[in-house]
Amino acid sequence: MWRKLCMAVCLVGAVWGGVEASPVDPQVVFIAHDVTPDRARARAQPYRAYVDVSMQSAPDSASQLRIRPLWVGGRGSSTRGSLALDHRDEGDRAAIDILERGFTLTLPGNDEGAVLHPADLAGWQAASGPSDARFLALLRLQALGLRPVTLPAAPQLGQRLTHLERGGDFASLATRMRVRALTPEIVLLDLEFEGDGLSGHGRQAVRRQDGRPLETRLYLTSRDGQATPETHRLYLVDMATEPVLDLEHALSPPEDVFNVTAERLAAPPFSARSDDPALFATDPIEAGTLEAWMLLDDGSALDMALAFDVLSHHDGGRPHIVLRADGRPAARAPHVVFMHLRDVQLLDVEGQPLPDATPTVTQRSFRVHAGMRLDETRVSFPFRLPLTVSESTLQPLSRIRLTADTRVYRWDRAEPVPYCGQSTHSADTVIEWTSPYRATLRQAAPAAGDPQGRWTTAVPIDAAGREIAFSQLFVGRASDAASDWRTLDAMPLLQLDPERAVDRTEIATHAPMAGLRLRHYRWRTDRRTLTFDDIRMQPGERDRDAAAD
């Protein structure tokens, strides 16, 4: 049971792990922002959004960052998200227009501070109220994790950088940075902020070639005059990096799931040898058989009924889309299929794209499973529609077509490796031998975009080559136990940190092992088309529609 649970939690990282650091402009960035007032029993107020970020030239040697919201999540009954905006309401239409035009962050070429303002300043001033001013104040804090960093031509490990700003959104702000890690494409920084009414720290990964942020964690304290001091926890990530963290819980992992890994590693048989036979079992998978989560490379279809629904919004806003999957997958297919989304099309009954409704893919890692019900109001929904899409725009919607890659697997070979030995078949696999009762199998995460590769599992064996009882724990890059953000040293590492570029399989045995039998599998990406039909259509109509496709 433990093996299946941990594999289910972590395998998104194993399947689609990797880093894409090449320039993508505009960037699609996910923002998670929790705000906690500094008073007794205060609860965090969550803000979630996807934004489109692009660089623009500006006069006087300045540059501009254009930030355009793609989706803003609602926060309970008190605050409305972007889907709750009603195109029939004049005030909401004005808000949609302002959000669609976006916001501009001016970055002066000297030590003057950055300034964020709505692109449609006149429209903002005419339509904004207290809640809009609050939105803009939070966006100014979020922009600290969006603006590019000026890097030296050849950054060095441990190098310290300082950026001073006078004026701008924060009056005066000193940002002190230390280079904590380097890769050929990425510079990882530790950050410290100190300014008028603002202080804090964080971690950030930026591209070497242009300093554009790829992933950021910030812990900030704001003190704005008469307002109550607030604590801000922020997580921002460029979705082109294909984050493996569950974005629904980017700031507050559910302890009952994510702490399982830490708790098990801190207890026998992983922390110390154990003689309790209940902790160990043999692996029933025979050589030549795929793991339960692997999709066989035989061209078979998923054989699941895929459908979508369009539901009315409880607050009078635009109806939202729900993707559904029902029925059991094909007999040899896993219960969960991991997809990498490439393209989305919203089609009418004639198979033509809906006008003015071109989707933006936001969440490329996409899981399809029986019983799936994925609502457009959720962070994990895979695409976003323009804010200008109205109920009438969606009325002709007949079919949603997703083009995606999935990894399909085939058996490669078994390889016995003696105690203290290493694999001679896979250079990406390293075994750490701790004792005759403990071993760790490490595998480098594949680079994003790789069309093929190898995956390895392991079982311990005795001197006669027989498999022996063991306990196993998969620790992927998505594993993220609860951390203390209040100090820089205790903050969780970024997913792009080189220390998290490896997936681990921890192995503990009851009897001493003479070695490991490695099970090597080969995988390749396979392009699939998933068609979601309108759930309200009658079977006869759906059949005629499919025949015309």
Side-chain angles (χ1 to χ4, degrees):
M1 180 186 72
W2 283 113
R3 183 173 186 270
K4 292 181 179 179
L5 172 63
C6 293
M7 293 293 277
V9 170
C10 301
L11 272 172
V12 176
V15 174
W16 289 113
V19 175
E20 176 59 67
S22 59
V24 177
D25 200 26
Q27 294 173 289
V28 174
V29 178
F30 170 71
I31 300 175
H33 186 172
D34 281 3
V35 184
T36 306
D38 187 12
R39 58 174 180 262
R41 299 181 181 178
R43 301 183 65 178
Q45 303 166 8
Y47 297 80
R48 303 292 183 267
Y50 286 98
V51 296
D52 173 304
V53 182
S54 58
M55 290 295 299
Q56 300 175 340
S57 59
D60 302 325
S61 301
S63 58
Q64 288 183 336
L65 204 65
R66 181 173 181 262
I67 305 169
R68 187 172 63 88
L70 298 172
W71 173 83
V72 179
R75 299 180 295 279
S77 59
S78 59
T79 309
R80 304 164 71 203
S82 56
L83 286 177
L85 296 174
D86 189 345
H87 290 72
R88 298 165 297 184
D89 180 87
E90 183 178 351
D92 282 1
R93 284 201 309 272
I96 291 170
D97 186 56
I98 290 170
L99 292 175
E100 185 69 17
R101 295 188 183 189
F103 301 81
T104 300
L105 181 69
T106 301
L107 304 166
N110 48 32
D111 62 355
E112 294 181 12
V115 177
L116 179 78
H117 58 81
D120 182 5
L121 186 57
W124 176 271
Q125 292 172 341
S128 65
S131 62
D132 302 300
R134 174 67 167 169
F135 177 87
L136 191 61
L138 295 178
L139 186 57
R140 288 191 171 109
L141 291 173
Q142 295 159 12
L144 290 172
L146 296 173
R147 55 189 186 178
V149 175
T150 301
L151 296 171
Q156 302 295 317
L157 191 64
Q159 185 175 3
R160 296 184 180 275
L161 312 169
T162 300
H163 179 63
L164 301 176
E165 300 178 39
R166 295 177 176 85
D169 288 336
F170 301 105
S172 68
L173 181 66
T175 305
R176 296 178 176 84
M177 297 164 275
R178 183 181 70 87
V179 179
R180 71 176 310 272
L182 294 165
T183 76
E185 298 86 17
I186 296 174
V187 178
L188 287 101
L189 302 168
D190 285 342
L191 309 174
E192 291 183 293
F193 301 94
E194 191 64 46
D196 290 345
L198 182 70
S199 61
H201 52 263
R203 302 187 190 276
Q204 188 170 58
V206 301
R207 288 197 301 243
R208 270 195 182 221
Q209 64 186 91
D210 57 9
R212 294 284 291 274
L214 297 173
E215 186 183 13
T216 306
R217 293 185 194 264
L218 298 177
Y219 182 86
L220 305 172
T221 300
S222 63
R223 306 172 188 85
D224 184 14
Q226 299 177 352
T228 302
E230 294 176 326
T231 298
H232 304 261
R233 294 201 307 168
L234 297 97
Y235 179 73
L236 303 91
V237 62
D238 183 340
M239 296 304 293
T241 65
E242 301 179 11
V244 297
L245 184 68
D246 183 354
L247 298 182
E248 297 277 4
H249 307 289
L251 294 178
S252 303
E255 295 184 4
D256 57 338
V257 174
F258 286 90
N259 279 354
V260 165
T261 300
E263 290 173 0
R264 292 200 66 204
L265 286 175
F270 297 103
S271 64
R273 185 187 171 196
S274 173
D275 290 324
D276 183 358
L279 297 177
F280 307 94
T282 55
D283 195 328
I285 299 178
E286 298 180 359
T289 303
L290 297 187
E291 295 274 345
W293 56 270
M294 293 178 174
L295 184 62
L296 180 62
D297 186 2
D298 65 352
S300 59
L302 297 182
D303 197 25
M304 280 191 281
L306 305 177
F308 75 88
D309 202 355
V310 180
L311 302 180
S312 299
H313 197 285
H314 67 87
D315 202 17
R318 170 175 72 76
H320 53 275
I321 296 171
V322 179
L323 301 179
R324 302 173 183 268
D326 293 303
R328 291 183 58 83
R332 289 176 294 177
H335 290 282
V336 180
V337 179
F338 301 97
M339 315 290 287
H340 177 77
L341 195 56
R342 292 291 184 184
D343 183 56
V344 179
Q345 291 182 308
L346 272 59
L347 307 175
D348 62 18
V349 70
E350 302 296 333
Q352 298 300 311
L354 297 188
D356 303 318
T358 302
T360 297
V361 176
T362 49
Q363 180 73 280
R364 294 195 178 275
S365 298
F366 181 55
R367 287 174 284 182
V368 180
H369 56 88
M372 181 187 77
R373 186 184 185 279
L374 195 53
D375 197 302
E376 195 178 356
T377 58
R378 297 281 300 276
V379 165
S380 55
F381 195 78
F383 61 88
R384 301 295 163 185
L385 301 181
L387 299 178
T388 52
V389 167
S390 64
E391 181 176 1
S392 60
T393 308
L394 292 179
Q395 283 179 349
L397 182 59
S398 174
R399 186 182 302 122
I400 299 175
R401 179 176 296 155
L402 275 57
T403 303
D405 292 338
T406 187
R407 286 185 182 164
V408 291
Y409 293 78
R410 61 181 175 85
W411 172 256
D412 184 8
R413 69 182 68 181
E415 179 189 13
V417 177
Y419 181 67
C420 291
Q422 295 293 332
S423 171
T424 60
H425 182 60
S426 175
D428 294 329
T429 301
V430 175
I431 306 171
E432 293 182 2
W433 300 95
T434 306
S435 76
Y437 303 91
R438 281 283 281 116
T440 301
L441 181 70
R442 294 180 176 269
Q443 299 180 75
D450 280 357
Q452 59 186 7
R454 182 184 290 111
W455 184 255
T456 299
T457 64
V459 291
I461 54 177
D462 61 16
R466 296 183 297 255
E467 296 181 10
I468 60 177
F470 69 107
S471 185
Q472 178 176 275
L473 181 63
F474 181 81
V475 185
R477 292 193 302 125
S479 302
D480 201 4
S483 303
D484 187 353
W485 290 50
R486 292 173 296 178
T487 61
L488 180 57
D489 291 341
M491 286 190 81
L493 296 178
L494 299 175
Q495 292 185 87
L496 296 182
D497 194 296
E499 293 184 28
R500 300 187 71 165
V502 173
D503 294 309
R504 302 176 0 234
T505 304
E506 301 288 349
I507 297 171
T509 61
H510 183 258
M513 56 182 141
L516 291 175
R517 178 176 292 119
L518 302 184
R519 298 167 172 168
H520 299 293
Y521 303 88
R522 291 191 177 273
W523 59 262
R524 66 176 181 86
T525 56
D526 186 39
R527 186 65 52 87
R528 300 290 181 100
T529 298
L530 306 180
T531 300
F532 291 78
D533 292 315
D534 190 338
I535 200 171
R536 299 163 297 181
M537 293 176 62
Q538 297 298 318
E541 292 175 323
R542 185 180 294 125
D543 293 342
R544 288 194 297 272
D545 201 17
D549 189 21

